[in-house]
Coordinates of all heavy atoms in Angstrom, one line a residue:
M248 N 71.7 147.7 138.0 CA 71.7 147.8 136.6 C 73.2 147.9 136.2 O 74.0 148.5 136.9 CB 71.0 149.0 136.1 CG 71.3 149.5 134.8 SD 70.4 150.8 134.0 CE 70.3 152.0 135.3
T249 N 73.5 147.3 135.1 CA 74.8 147.4 134.5 C 74.8 148.3 133.3 O 73.8 148.2 132.5 CB 75.4 146.0 134.1 OG1 75.4 145.2 135.3 CG2 76.7 146.1 133.5
I250 N 75.8 149.1 133.1 CA 75.9 150.0 132.0 C 76.8 149.4 130.9 O 77.9 149.0 131.3 CB 76.4 151.4 132.4 CG1 75.4 152.0 133.4 CG2 76.5 152.3 131.2 CD1 76.0 153.3 134.0
F251 N 76.4 149.4 129.7 CA 77.2 149.0 128.6 C 77.8 150.2 127.9 O 77.1 151.2 127.7 CB 76.4 148.2 127.5 CG 77.1 148.0 126.2 CD1 77.9 146.9 126.1 CD2 76.9 148.8 125.1 CE1 78.6 146.7 124.9 CE2 77.5 148.6 123.9 CZ 78.4 147.5 123.8
I252 N 79.1 150.2 127.6 CA 79.8 151.3 126.9 C 80.4 150.7 125.7 O 81.3 149.8 125.8 CB 80.9 151.9 127.8 CG1 80.3 152.4 129.2 CG2 81.5 153.2 127.1 CD1 80.6 151.4 130.3
G253 N 80.0 151.1 124.5 CA 80.5 150.6 123.3 C 81.3 151.6 122.5 O 81.3 152.8 122.8
N254 N 82.0 151.1 121.5 CA 82.8 152.0 120.6 C 83.9 152.6 121.4 O 84.3 153.8 121.1 CB 82.0 153.0 119.8 CG 82.7 153.5 118.6 OD1 83.4 152.8 118.0 ND2 82.5 154.8 118.3
L255 N 84.5 151.9 122.3 CA 85.6 152.4 123.1 C 86.9 152.5 122.3 O 87.1 151.6 121.5 CB 85.8 151.6 124.4 CG 84.8 151.7 125.5 CD1 85.2 150.6 126.6 CD2 84.9 153.1 126.1
S256 N 87.7 153.4 122.6 CA 89.1 153.5 122.1 C 89.9 152.3 122.5 O 89.7 151.8 123.7 CB 89.7 154.8 122.6 OG 91.1 154.7 122.3
W257 N 90.7 151.8 121.7 CA 91.6 150.7 122.1 C 92.5 151.0 123.2 O 93.1 150.2 123.9 CB 92.4 150.1 120.9 CG 91.5 149.7 119.7 CD1 91.5 150.2 118.5 CD2 90.6 148.6 119.7 NE1 90.6 149.6 117.7 CE2 90.0 148.6 118.5 CE3 90.2 147.7 120.7 CZ2 89.0 147.6 118.1 CZ3 89.2 146.8 120.3 CH2 88.7 146.7 119.1
D258 N 92.7 152.4 123.4 CA 93.6 152.8 124.4 C 92.9 152.9 125.8 O 93.6 153.2 126.8 CB 94.2 154.2 124.1 CG 95.1 154.1 122.8 OD1 95.7 153.1 122.6 OD2 95.1 155.1 122.1
A259 N 91.6 152.8 125.8 CA 90.9 153.0 127.1 C 91.2 151.8 128.0 O 91.3 150.7 127.7 CB 89.4 152.9 126.8
E260 N 91.5 152.2 129.3 CA 91.8 151.3 130.3 C 90.7 151.3 131.4 O 89.9 152.2 131.4 CB 93.2 151.7 131.0 CG 94.4 151.6 130.1 CD 94.7 150.2 129.6 OE1 94.3 149.2 130.3 OE2 95.4 150.1 128.6
R261 N 90.7 150.3 132.2 CA 89.7 150.2 133.3 C 89.7 151.5 134.1 O 88.6 152.0 134.5 CB 90.1 148.9 134.1 CG 89.1 148.6 135.2 CD 89.5 147.3 135.9 NE 88.5 147.0 136.9 CZ 88.6 147.5 138.2 NH1 89.6 148.3 138.5 NH2 87.7 147.2 139.0
E262 N 90.9 152.0 134.5 CA 91.0 153.2 135.3 C 90.3 154.4 134.6 O 89.8 155.3 135.3 CB 92.4 153.5 135.6 CG 93.1 152.4 136.5 CD 93.5 151.1 135.8 OE1 93.6 151.2 134.5 OE2 93.6 150.1 136.5
D263 N 90.4 154.4 133.3 CA 89.8 155.6 132.5 C 88.3 155.5 132.7 O 87.7 156.6 132.9 CB 90.2 155.5 131.1 CG 91.7 155.6 130.8 OD1 92.3 156.4 131.5 OD2 92.2 154.9 129.9
L264 N 87.7 154.3 132.6 CA 86.3 154.2 132.7 C 85.8 154.5 134.2 O 84.8 155.2 134.4 CB 85.8 152.8 132.4 CG 85.7 152.5 130.9 CD1 85.3 151.0 130.7 CD2 84.7 153.4 130.2
I265 N 86.6 154.1 135.1 CA 86.3 154.4 136.5 C 86.3 155.9 136.8 O 85.5 156.4 137.4 CB 87.2 153.6 137.5 CG1 87.0 152.1 137.4 CG2 87.1 154.2 138.9 CD1 88.0 151.3 138.2
H266 N 87.3 156.6 136.2 CA 87.4 158.0 136.3 C 86.2 158.7 135.7 O 85.6 159.6 136.2 CB 88.7 158.5 135.7 CG 88.9 160.0 135.8 ND1 89.1 160.7 137.0 CD2 88.8 160.9 134.8 CE1 89.1 162.0 136.7 NE2 88.9 162.2 135.4
L267 N 85.9 158.3 134.4 CA 84.7 158.9 133.7 C 83.4 158.7 134.5 O 82.7 159.7 134.7 CB 84.6 158.3 132.3 CG 83.5 158.8 131.5 CD1 83.7 160.3 131.2 CD2 83.4 158.0 130.2
F268 N 83.1 157.5 134.8 CA 81.8 157.2 135.5 C 81.8 157.6 137.0 O 80.8 157.8 137.6 CB 81.4 155.8 135.3 CG 80.9 155.5 133.9 CD1 81.8 155.2 132.9 CD2 79.6 155.6 133.6 CE1 81.3 155.1 131.6 CE2 79.1 155.5 132.3 CZ 79.9 155.2 131.3
G269 N 83.0 157.7 137.6 CA 83.1 158.2 138.9 C 82.7 159.6 139.1 O 82.3 160.0 140.3
Q270 N 82.6 160.4 138.1 CA 82.0 161.7 138.1 C 80.5 161.7 138.4 O 80.0 162.7 138.8 CB 82.3 162.5 136.8 CG 83.8 162.6 136.5 CD 84.0 163.2 135.2 OE1 83.4 164.2 134.8 NE2 84.9 162.6 134.4
Y271 N 79.9 160.6 138.2 CA 78.4 160.4 138.4 C 78.1 159.7 139.8 O 77.0 159.8 140.2 CB 77.8 159.7 137.3 CG 77.9 160.5 136.0 CD1 79.0 160.4 135.2 CD2 76.9 161.4 135.7 CE1 79.1 161.2 134.0 CE2 77.0 162.2 134.6 CZ 78.1 162.1 133.8 OH 78.2 162.9 132.6
G272 N 79.0 159.1 140.3 CA 78.8 158.3 141.6 C 79.9 157.3 141.8 O 80.8 157.1 141.0
E273 N 79.7 156.5 142.9 CA 80.7 155.5 143.2 C 80.6 154.3 142.3 O 79.5 153.7 142.2 CB 80.5 155.1 144.7 CG 81.5 154.1 145.1 CD 81.3 153.6 146.6 OE1 80.5 154.3 147.3 OE2 81.9 152.6 146.9
V274 N 81.7 153.9 141.7 CA 81.7 152.8 140.8 C 81.9 151.5 141.6 O 82.9 151.4 142.4 CB 82.9 152.9 139.7 CG1 83.0 151.7 138.9 CG2 82.7 154.1 138.9
S275 N 81.0 150.6 141.5 CA 81.1 149.3 142.3 C 81.8 148.2 141.4 O 82.3 147.3 142.0 CB 79.8 148.9 142.8 OG 78.9 148.6 141.7
K276 N 81.7 148.3 140.1 CA 82.3 147.2 139.3 C 82.6 147.8 137.9 O 81.9 148.7 137.4 CB 81.3 146.1 139.1 CG 81.7 144.9 138.4 CD 80.7 143.8 138.4 CE 81.0 142.6 137.6 NZ 79.9 141.7 137.5
C277 N 83.7 147.4 137.3 CA 84.1 147.9 136.0 C 84.9 146.7 135.3 O 85.8 146.1 135.9 CB 85.0 149.1 136.1 SG 85.5 149.7 134.5
S278 N 84.5 146.5 134.0 CA 85.3 145.4 133.3 C 85.4 145.8 131.8 O 84.5 146.4 131.2 CB 84.6 144.1 133.4 OG 83.3 144.1 132.8
L279 N 86.5 145.4 131.3 CA 86.8 145.5 129.8 C 87.1 144.1 129.3 O 88.3 143.6 129.5 CB 88.0 146.5 129.6 CG 87.8 147.9 129.7 CD1 89.2 148.7 129.7 CD2 86.9 148.5 128.7
P280 N 86.2 143.5 128.7 CA 86.4 142.1 128.3 C 87.5 142.0 127.2 O 87.7 142.9 126.4 CB 85.0 141.7 127.6 CG 84.0 142.6 128.3 CD 84.8 143.9 128.5
L281 N 88.2 140.9 127.2 CA 89.3 140.7 126.3 C 88.9 139.5 125.3 O 88.2 138.6 125.7 CB 90.6 140.3 127.0 CG 91.1 141.3 128.0 CD1 92.4 140.7 128.7 CD2 91.5 142.6 127.4
D282 N 89.4 139.6 124.1 CA 89.2 138.5 123.2 C 89.9 137.3 123.6 O 91.1 137.4 124.0 CB 89.7 139.0 121.8 CG 89.5 137.9 120.7 OD1 90.4 137.0 120.6 OD2 88.4 138.0 120.0
R283 N 89.3 136.1 123.6 CA 89.9 134.9 124.1 C 91.1 134.5 123.3 O 92.1 134.0 123.9 CB 88.9 133.8 124.1 CG 87.8 133.9 125.1 CD 86.9 132.7 125.0 NE 85.6 133.1 125.6 CZ 84.5 132.6 125.3 NH1 84.4 131.6 124.5 NH2 83.4 133.0 125.8
D284 N 91.1 134.7 122.0 CA 92.2 134.2 121.1 C 93.4 135.2 121.1 O 94.5 134.7 121.2 CB 91.7 134.0 119.7 CG 90.6 132.9 119.6 OD1 90.6 132.0 120.4 OD2 89.7 133.1 118.7
T285 N 93.1 136.5 121.1 CA 94.2 137.4 120.9 C 94.6 138.1 122.2 O 95.7 138.7 122.3 CB 93.8 138.5 119.9 OG1 92.7 139.3 120.4 CG2 93.5 137.9 118.5
G286 N 93.7 138.1 123.2 CA 94.0 138.9 124.4 C 93.8 140.3 124.3 O 94.1 141.1 125.3
R287 N 93.4 140.8 123.1 CA 93.1 142.3 122.9 C 91.8 142.7 123.5 O 90.9 141.9 123.5 CB 93.2 142.6 121.4 CG 94.6 142.5 120.9 CD 94.6 142.9 119.4 NE 94.0 144.2 119.2 CZ 93.5 144.6 118.1 NH1 93.5 143.8 117.0 NH2 92.9 145.8 118.0
K288 N 91.7 144.0 123.8 CA 90.4 144.5 124.2 C 89.4 144.4 123.1 O 89.8 144.4 121.9 CB 90.5 145.9 124.7 CG 91.3 146.1 126.0 CD 91.4 147.5 126.3 CE 92.9 147.7 126.5 NZ 93.4 149.0 126.5
R289 N 88.1 144.3 123.4 CA 87.1 144.0 122.4 C 86.4 145.3 122.0 O 85.5 145.3 121.2 CB 86.1 143.0 122.9 CG 86.8 141.7 123.1 CD 85.9 140.6 123.6 NE 84.9 140.3 122.6 CZ 83.8 139.6 122.9 NH1 83.6 139.1 124.1 NH2 82.9 139.3 122.0
G290 N 86.7 146.5 122.6 CA 86.1 147.7 122.2 C 84.8 148.1 122.9 O 84.1 149.0 122.5
F291 N 84.6 147.4 124.0 CA 83.4 147.7 124.8 C 83.7 147.4 126.3 O 84.7 146.7 126.6 CB 82.1 147.0 124.4 CG 82.2 145.5 124.4 CD1 81.8 144.8 125.6 CD2 82.6 144.8 123.3 CE1 81.8 143.5 125.6 CE2 82.6 143.4 123.4 CZ 82.2 142.7 124.5
G292 N 82.9 147.9 127.2 CA 83.1 147.6 128.6 C 81.8 147.7 129.4 O 80.7 148.0 128.8
F293 N 81.8 147.4 130.6 CA 80.7 147.4 131.5 C 81.0 148.1 132.8 O 82.1 148.0 133.3 CB 80.2 146.0 131.8 CG 79.8 145.2 130.6 CD1 80.7 144.4 130.0 CD2 78.5 145.4 130.1 CE1 80.3 143.7 128.9 CE2 78.1 144.7 129.0 CZ 79.0 143.8 128.4
V294 N 80.1 148.9 133.3 CA 80.3 149.6 134.6 C 79.0 149.5 135.4 O 77.9 149.6 134.9 CB 80.6 151.1 134.3 CG1 80.6 151.9 135.6 CG2 81.9 151.3 133.6
D295 N 79.2 149.3 136.7 CA 78.0 149.4 137.7 C 78.3 150.5 138.6 O 79.5 150.6 139.2 CB 77.9 148.1 138.5 CG 77.4 146.9 137.7 OD1 77.0 147.1 136.5 OD2 77.4 145.8 138.2
L296 N 77.3 151.3 138.9 CA 77.4 152.3 139.9 C 76.6 151.9 141.1 O 75.6 151.1 141.0 CB 76.9 153.7 139.4 CG 77.7 154.3 138.2 CD1 77.1 155.6 137.8 CD2 79.2 154.5 138.6
V297 N 76.9 152.4 142.3 CA 76.2 152.0 143.5 C 74.8 152.5 143.5 O 73.9 151.7 143.8 CB 77.0 152.6 144.8 CG1 76.2 152.4 146.0 CG2 78.3 152.0 144.9
N298 N 74.5 153.7 143.0 CA 73.2 154.3 143.0 C 72.6 154.2 141.6 O 73.2 154.7 140.6 CB 73.3 155.7 143.5 CG 72.0 156.4 143.7 OD1 71.1 156.2 142.8 ND2 71.8 157.2 144.7
E299 N 71.4 153.7 141.5 CA 70.7 153.5 140.2 C 70.4 154.9 139.5 O 70.5 155.0 138.3 CB 69.4 152.7 140.3 CG 68.9 152.3 138.9 CD 67.8 151.2 139.0 OE1 67.9 150.4 139.9 OE2 67.0 151.2 138.1
A300 N 70.1 155.9 140.3 CA 69.8 157.2 139.8 C 71.1 157.8 139.2 O 71.0 158.5 138.1 CB 69.3 158.1 140.9
D301 N 72.2 157.5 139.7 CA 73.5 158.0 139.2 C 73.7 157.3 137.8 O 74.3 157.9 136.9 CB 74.7 157.7 140.1 CG 74.6 158.5 141.4 OD1 73.9 159.5 141.4 OD2 75.2 158.0 142.4
E302 N 73.4 156.0 137.7 CA 73.5 155.2 136.5 C 72.7 155.9 135.4 O 73.2 156.1 134.3 CB 73.2 153.8 136.7 CG 74.2 153.0 137.5 CD 73.8 151.6 137.8 OE1 72.6 151.2 137.8 OE2 74.7 150.8 137.9
T303 N 71.5 156.2 135.7 CA 70.6 156.8 134.7 C 71.1 158.1 134.3 O 71.1 158.5 133.1 CB 69.1 157.0 135.3 OG1 68.7 155.7 135.7 CG2 68.2 157.6 134.3
S304 N 71.6 158.9 135.2 CA 72.2 160.2 134.8 C 73.4 160.0 133.9 O 73.6 160.8 132.9 CB 72.7 160.9 136.1 OG 72.2 162.1 136.3
A305 N 74.3 159.1 134.2 CA 75.5 158.8 133.4 C 75.1 158.4 132.0 O 75.6 158.9 131.0 CB 76.3 157.8 134.1
I306 N 74.1 157.5 131.9 CA 73.6 157.1 130.6 C 73.1 158.3 129.8 O 73.5 158.4 128.6 CB 72.6 156.0 130.7 CG1 73.2 154.7 131.2 CG2 71.8 155.7 129.4 CD1 72.2 153.6 131.6
N307 N 72.3 159.1 130.4 CA 71.7 160.2 129.7 C 72.8 161.2 129.2 O 72.7 161.8 128.1 CB 70.6 160.9 130.5 CG 69.4 160.0 130.7 OD1 69.1 159.2 129.9 ND2 68.7 160.3 131.8
D308 N 73.7 161.5 130.1 CA 74.8 162.5 129.8 C 75.8 162.0 128.8 O 76.4 162.8 128.1 CB 75.4 162.9 131.1 CG 74.6 163.8 132.0 OD1 73.4 164.1 131.6 OD2 75.0 164.1 133.1
L309 N 76.2 160.7 128.9 CA 77.3 160.3 128.1 C 77.0 159.6 126.8 O 77.9 159.3 126.0 CB 78.1 159.3 129.0 CG 78.8 159.9 130.2 CD1 79.5 158.9 131.1 CD2 79.8 161.0 129.8
Q310 N 75.7 159.4 126.5 CA 75.3 158.7 125.2 C 75.8 159.6 124.0 O 75.5 160.8 124.0 CB 73.8 158.5 125.2 CG 73.3 158.0 123.9 CD 73.8 156.6 123.5 OE1 74.3 155.8 124.3 NE2 73.9 156.4 122.2
D311 N 76.5 159.0 123.1 CA 77.0 159.6 121.9 C 77.9 160.8 122.2 O 78.0 161.7 121.4 CB 75.8 160.1 121.0 CG 75.1 158.9 120.4 OD1 75.7 157.9 120.1 OD2 73.9 158.9 120.3
V312 N 78.6 160.8 123.3 CA 79.6 161.8 123.6 C 81.0 161.4 123.0 O 81.3 160.2 123.1 CB 79.7 162.0 125.1 CG1 80.9 162.8 125.5 CG2 78.4 162.7 125.6
E313 N 81.8 162.3 122.6 CA 83.1 162.0 122.1 C 84.0 161.9 123.3 O 84.1 162.8 124.2 CB 83.7 163.1 121.2 CG 85.0 162.7 120.6 CD 85.6 163.7 119.6 OE1 84.8 164.3 118.9 OE2 86.8 163.8 119.6
W314 N 84.7 160.7 123.5 CA 85.6 160.4 124.6 C 86.8 159.7 124.0 O 86.6 158.6 123.4 CB 84.8 159.7 125.7 CG 85.6 159.4 126.9 CD1 86.1 160.4 127.8 CD2 86.1 158.2 127.4 NE1 86.8 159.8 128.8 CE2 86.8 158.4 128.6 CE3 85.9 156.9 127.0 CZ2 87.4 157.4 129.4 CZ3 86.5 155.9 127.7 CH2 87.2 156.1 128.9
M315 N 87.9 160.1 124.3 CA 89.2 159.5 123.8 C 89.1 159.4 122.2 O 89.4 158.3 121.7 CB 89.4 158.2 124.5 CG 89.7 158.3 125.9 SD 90.1 156.8 126.8 CE 91.8 156.6 126.3
A316 N 88.6 160.4 121.6 CA 88.5 160.5 120.1 C 87.5 159.5 119.5 O 87.6 159.3 118.3 CB 89.9 160.4 119.5
R317 N 86.6 159.0 120.2 CA 85.6 158.1 119.7 C 84.2 158.5 120.3 O 84.1 158.9 121.4 CB 85.8 156.7 120.1 CG 87.2 156.1 119.8 CD 87.3 155.6 118.3 NE 86.4 154.6 117.9 CZ 86.7 153.3 117.8 NH1 87.9 152.9 118.1 NH2 85.8 152.5 117.4
N318 N 83.1 158.4 119.5 CA 81.8 158.7 120.0 C 81.3 157.4 120.6 O 81.0 156.4 120.0 CB 80.8 159.1 118.9 CG 81.1 160.5 118.4 OD1 81.7 161.3 119.1 ND2 80.6 160.8 117.2
I319 N 81.2 157.4 122.0 CA 80.9 156.2 122.7 C 79.4 156.0 122.8 O 78.6 156.9 122.7 CB 81.5 156.2 124.1 CG1 81.0 157.4 124.9 CG2 83.0 156.1 124.1 CD1 81.4 157.4 126.4
T320 N 79.0 154.7 122.8 CA 77.6 154.3 123.0 C 77.4 153.9 124.5 O 78.2 153.1 125.0 CB 77.2 153.1 122.1 OG1 77.5 153.5 120.8 CG2 75.8 152.7 122.3
V321 N 76.4 154.5 125.2 CA 76.2 154.2 126.6 C 74.7 153.9 126.8 O 73.9 154.7 126.4 CB 76.6 155.4 127.5 CG1 76.4 155.1 128.9 CG2 78.0 155.8 127.2
R322 N 74.5 152.7 127.3 CA 73.1 152.3 127.5 C 73.0 151.2 128.6 O 74.1 150.6 129.0 CB 72.5 151.8 126.2 CG 73.1 150.5 125.7 CD 72.3 149.9 124.5 NE 72.8 148.7 124.1 CZ 73.7 148.4 123.1 NH1 74.2 149.4 122.4 NH2 74.1 147.2 122.9
K323 N 71.8 150.9 129.0 CA 71.6 149.8 130.0 C 72.0 148.5 129.3 O 71.6 148.2 128.1 CB 70.2 149.8 130.4 CG 69.8 148.7 131.4 CD 68.4 148.7 131.7 CE 68.1 147.5 132.6 NZ 66.6 147.4 133.0
A324 N 72.8 147.7 130.0 CA 73.3 146.4 129.4 C 72.1 145.4 129.3 O 71.3 145.4 130.2 CB 74.4 145.9 130.2
E325 N 72.1 144.6 128.3 CA 71.1 143.6 128.2 C 71.6 142.3 128.7 O 72.8 142.1 128.7 CB 70.8 143.4 126.7 CG 70.2 144.6 126.0 CD 70.0 144.4 124.5 OE1 70.1 143.3 124.0 OE2 69.6 145.4 123.9
P326 N 70.7 141.5 129.3 CA 71.2 140.2 129.8 C 71.9 139.3 128.8 O 71.5 139.4 127.6 CB 69.9 139.5 130.4 CG 68.9 140.6 130.4 CD 69.3 141.6 129.4
R327 N 72.8 138.5 129.2 CA 73.5 137.6 128.3 C 72.5 136.6 127.7 O 71.6 136.1 128.4 CB 74.6 136.8 129.0 CG 75.9 137.5 129.0 CD 76.9 136.5 129.6 NE 78.1 136.6 128.8 CZ 79.2 136.1 129.1 NH1 79.3 135.4 130.2 NH2 80.3 136.2 128.4
R328 N 72.7 136.2 126.5 CA 71.8 135.2 125.9 C 72.4 133.8 125.9 O 73.5 133.6 125.9 CB 71.5 135.6 124.4 CG 70.8 136.9 124.4 CD 70.6 137.3 123.0 NE 70.1 138.7 123.0 CZ 69.8 139.4 122.0 NH1 70.0 138.9 120.8 NH2 69.3 140.6 122.1

């Protein structure tokens, strides 16, 4: 399962997400998509943890938590359309 993290601070870096979600288990993948035209971060990211139980724990614990001065949205990512 992939975790979607929304409403991220513009200052959030890949390493910050790895550190935050690494508290729940081993991070196997992490990405912060960039806008194609401007190259700026888009305000959301994706994280995969090795263990699905750890992912569920992270989603439950981090949903609507203030992180880097923003209330982040954390949920199971939906497939691309």
Side-chain angles (χ1 to χ4, degrees):
M248 160 176 47
T249 299
I250 300 171
F251 168 84
I252 307 98
N254 199 34
L255 286 175
S256 165
W257 300 115
D258 296 328
E260 297 292 339
R261 186 175 178 275
E262 293 77 21
D263 298 322
L264 281 178
I265 291 171
H266 177 72
L267 178 65
F268 283 87
Q270 297 173 46
Y271 292 90
E273 184 182 344
V274 175
S275 62
K276 185 177 175 186
C277 179
S278 65
L279 285 170
L281 302 176
D282 182 272
R283 287 183 207 155
D284 297 329
T285 64
R287 289 184 49 205
K288 290 177 233 163
R289 297 178 66 193
F291 62 89
F293 299 96
V294 171
D295 288 353
L296 297 179
V297 172
N298 184 320
E299 193 167 330
D301 294 338
E302 290 178 329
T303 303
S304 238
I306 290 169
N307 292 336
D308 289 355
L309 295 173
Q310 176 59 25
D311 293 322
V312 166
E313 184 176 328
W314 185 66
M315 295 182 81
R317 304 283 298 261
N318 285 343
I319 58 174
T320 302
V321 181
R322 66 175 187 261
K323 179 180 175 184
E325 297 175 7
R327 271 188 138 169
R328 298 178 188 178

